[in-house]
C-alpha cells in the first residue's frame, strides 16, 4: 500500500520502518526538519533498538521517504496514518489534541482535491485520544475541510498502538492483539493488509471502545507498577526480600496473572478480601508506610457501591418496587459475610424502596433472616429463595437488579422487565447516571 504517515516521533518512526519492511511505501511527514532529515537519511530520530537498521534498509529500497508536508502524496495514497503527539494538558488531566485536529484538517483539504478513482482514502488514527474524540473532533474536522462526510471519498478508523519503547519493533512484529475501532462494521477491513503473516487476534470494535482501550491498558500497567512497589515497601519494612514475596504472587498464573477479577461487575466482598486487605493496611500503618494504591482499593469499592445505588435511583424512584436477585457475596455460596449485595439491599431499603429479594443459593428461612436484618426490620420486603418463587417475587416490579450470574432464572422474569446486571454492568449505559 501507499501510505502517508503523519508524525515521526517514537511511534511514527518505528511504524514507518516496520511498514516499509513489510513491503509498503511510506512517506513520513513531520514539521520538525531534523526528524525529517534523519528519516530521509535512514537514521532513527529517536533511540530505539534496531530502528536505525530498519530505516536504512527502507530508504535504500526506496520504500521510505520523508518531508515536512504531504504535498501531493495524499492524492494517490491508499492510507493516511496519524501518529502525532497528543501531550498532556497543563493540569495533566487531559490531552492536547490541537496537533491532531490540524493534521485532520490538512487531510480533509487534500481529500477535496483527490481523484475519485479507486477505493476511499482510509484515515487511520494512532494518536492517543479520549473516547469520543474521533467522532466528536477529528471526523468533523476532516469532513468540513473535505466538503463531504465519510463513506465515498474517505473512511476513518482508530487503531491504537500498544508498543513499548525499547521493544517497539518486536511489539509491532508480534502484537498480543490488533485493535481497530470502526465507524461502520467492515469499513476498515483492509487494515488487515498491514499485518499479513502476523498471527494475532484482529479485533474490530466501535471507535470509542478502541480509544478507551489504549488509556485503560496504560492505566492498568501504572496500577500494577504502583501495587508491586507498595508490596515491595511493605516487605522491606518487615525484613523480607521483596523478590521472594513477588515470586509467590507471580507463581499463580490462574488467578493472580490470569483474567480473574478483571471483568467489571459488583464490588468485591466476602469473608477474605475485605479482611485481608484491612490487615495489609494495618501492617503498613504499624510500619509507618503509606500504600495509596491498596488503600485506594477500599475507597474505590465504596465509590462503586454508591455508584450502583445512584444508577438504580436514576432509573426508578422509591418505592419501586425493586427485585434484587442475589444476596450472598457470590454465586454458589450462601455466605453472607461481607456481602456487598447485603449492603446494597440495606441502602435500598434505607432509601425507601419496596425491596424484594431472591437468591437460589439461600433457603427461604436463611433469606428471610437476612431480610429481617435490613433497616427498618423487614420493611416492604418480600424474601424468596426457591426458583419457583421468582415469578411471584418479580410480579409488578419496576426494576430487576441482577447481583449474581443466574442465567437459568432469566426465563422466569416478566417480559420486558428492565434489568441492571451488576455481574457485567449491562444495562448501565442507557440513561446512566453521572459517575
Amino acid at each position: 500500500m501507499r501510505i502517508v504517515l503523519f508524525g515521526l516521533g517514537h511511534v511514527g518512526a518505528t511504524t514507518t520502518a516496520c511498514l516499509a519492511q513489510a513491503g509498503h511505501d511510506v512517506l513520513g511527514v513531520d514539521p520538525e526538519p531534523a526528524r525529517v532529515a534523519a528519516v530521509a537519511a535512514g537514521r532513527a530520530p529517536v533511540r530505539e533498538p534496531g530502528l536505525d537498521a530498519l530505516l536504512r534498509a527502507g530508504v535504500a529500497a526506496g520504500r521510505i521517504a520523508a518531508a515536512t508536508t504531504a504535498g501531493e502524496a495524499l492524492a494517490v495514497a491508499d492510507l493516511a496514518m496519524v501518529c502525532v503527539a497528543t501531550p498532556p494538558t497543563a493540569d495533566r488531566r487531559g490531552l492536547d489534541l490541537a496537533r491532531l485536529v490540524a493534521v485532520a484538517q490538512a487531510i480533509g483539504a487534500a481529500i477535496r482535491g483527490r481523484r475519485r478513482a479507486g477505493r476511499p482514502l482510509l484515515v487511520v488514527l494512532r494518536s492517543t485520544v479520549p473516547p469520543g474524540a474521533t467522532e466528536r473532533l477529528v471526523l468533523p474536522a476532516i469532513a468540513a475541510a473535505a466538503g463531504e462526510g465519510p463513506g465515498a471519498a474517505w473512511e476513518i478508523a482508530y487503531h491504537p498502538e500498544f508498543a513499548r519503547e525499547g521493544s517497539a519493533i518486536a511489539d509491532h512484529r508480534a502484537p498480543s492483539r490488533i485493535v481497530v475501532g470502526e465507524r461502520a462494521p467492515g469499513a476498515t477491513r483492509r487494515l488487515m493488509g498491514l499485518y499479513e503473516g502476523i498471527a494475532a487476534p484482529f479485533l474490530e470494535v466501535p471507535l470509542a471502545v478502541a480509544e478507551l482501550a489504549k488509556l485503560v491498558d496504560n492505566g492498568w500497567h501504572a496500577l500494577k507498577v504502583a501495587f508491586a512497589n507498595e508490596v515491595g515497601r511493605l516487605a522491606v519494612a518487615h525484613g523480607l526480600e521483596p523478590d521472594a514475596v513477588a515470586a509467590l504472587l507471580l507463581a499463580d498464573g490462574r488467578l493472580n496473572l490470569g483474567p480473574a477479577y478483571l471483568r467489571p461487575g459488583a464490588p468485591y466482598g466476602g469473608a477474605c478480601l475485605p479482611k485481608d486487605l484491612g490487615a495489609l493496611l494495618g501492617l503498613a500503618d504499624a510500619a509507618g508506610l503509606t500504600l495509596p494504591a491498596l488503600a485506594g482499593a477500599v475507597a474505590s469499592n465504596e465509590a462503586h457501591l454508591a455508584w450502583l445505588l445512584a444508577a438504580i435511583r436514576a432509573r426508578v424512584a422509591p418505592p419501586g418496587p425493586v427485585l434484587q436477585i442475589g444476596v450472598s457475596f457470590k454465586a454458589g455460596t450462601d455466605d453472607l459475610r461481607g456481602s456487598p449485595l447485603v449492603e446494597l439491599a440495606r441502602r435500598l431499603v434505607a432509601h425507601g424502596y419496596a425491596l424484594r429479594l431472591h437468591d437460589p443459593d439461600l433457603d427461604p428461612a436463611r433469606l428471610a433472616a437476612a431480610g429481617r436484618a435490613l433497616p427498618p426490620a423487614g420493611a416492604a420486603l418480600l424474601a424468596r429463595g426457591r426458583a419457583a418463587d421468582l415469578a411471584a417475587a418479580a410480579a409488578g416490579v419496576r426494576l430487576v437488579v441482577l447481583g449474581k450470574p443466574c442465567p437459568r432464572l432469566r426465563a422466569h422474569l416478566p417480559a420486558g422487565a428492565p434489568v441492571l446486571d451488576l455481574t457485567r454492568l449491562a444495562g448501565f449505559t442507557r440513561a446512566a447516571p453521572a459517575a
Side-chain angles (χ1 to χ4, degrees), residues 361-430:
D361 294 316
L362 298 178
D363 61 52
R366 186 163 172 76
L367 184 54
R372 287 193 294 272
L374 302 179
L381 180 74
L382 176 64
R384 298 178 180 272
R386 296 176 302 172
D389 293 326
L390 179 58
V397 297
R398 296 183 58 203
L399 182 68
V400 177
V401 177
L402 185 62
K404 300 198 307 192
C406 304
R408 288 180 293 181
L409 297 182
R410 289 269 189 173
H412 296 275
L413 295 176
V419 177
L420 282 181
D421 187 349
L422 273 57
T423 68
R424 53 193 184 96
L425 298 191
F428 284 79
T429 54
R430 293 183 293 277

Side-chain angles (χ1 to χ4, degrees), residues 95-240:
L95 299 171
D96 184 346
L97 306 182
R99 296 182 216 180
L100 179 61
V101 172
V103 168
Q105 292 168 337
I107 292 173
I111 290 171
R112 185 182 287 270
R114 180 179 163 86
R115 293 194 298 272
R116 294 305 180 91
R119 294 181 295 183
L121 176 69
L122 180 57
V123 181
V124 180
L125 310 180
R126 306 213 77 186
S127 306
T128 302
V129 298
T134 300
E135 283 197 283
R136 189 179 67 253
L137 293 176
V138 180
L139 191 154
I142 297 174
E148 63 181 286
W154 61 283
E155 190 51 78
I156 195 163
Y158 184 75
H159 177 34
E161 56 81 23
F162 300 103
R164 300 160 294 172
E165 291 190 18
S167 59
I169 294 172
D171 289 344
H172 180 94
R173 290 170 174 168
S176 60
R177 77 281 200 213
I178 299 163
V179 177
V180 178
E182 301 181 293
R183 185 186 64 86
T188 53
R189 185 59 57 89
R190 68 179 122 146
L191 261 178
M192 295 179 70
L194 299 182
Y195 296 97
E196 290 181 2
I198 293 178
F202 193 86
L203 307 174
E204 295 163 300
V205 298
L207 287 167
V209 172
E211 291 167 331
L212 184 56
K214 171 58 187 292
L215 296 174
V216 168
D217 257 41
N218 283 339
W220 174 229
H221 299 326
L223 183 60
K224 286 190 292 184
V225 171
F227 171 82
N229 288 335
E230 288 188 4
V231 170
R233 296 201 298 273
L234 189 61
V236 168
H238 288 271
L240 305 173

Side-chain angles (χ1 to χ4, degrees), residues 2 14 24 28 33 43 61 75 84 108 112 122 157 167 201 206 210 279 289 322 333 337 346 356 382 384:
R2 292 165 295 186
T14 304
H24 303 286
R43 299 192 313 272
V84 299
R112 185 182 287 270
L122 180 57
S167 59
L289 296 174
V322 170
T333 178
R337 293 176 297 170
R346 286 196 183 108
R356 304 177 184 182
L382 176 64
R384 298 178 180 272

Side-chain angles (χ1 to χ4, degrees), residues 2-4 27 29 69-78 110 114 121:
R2 292 165 295 186
I3 301 169
V4 177
L27 170 66
V29 179
T69 64
E72 300 299 316
L74 283 172
V76 295
D78 300 299
R114 180 179 163 86
L121 176 69

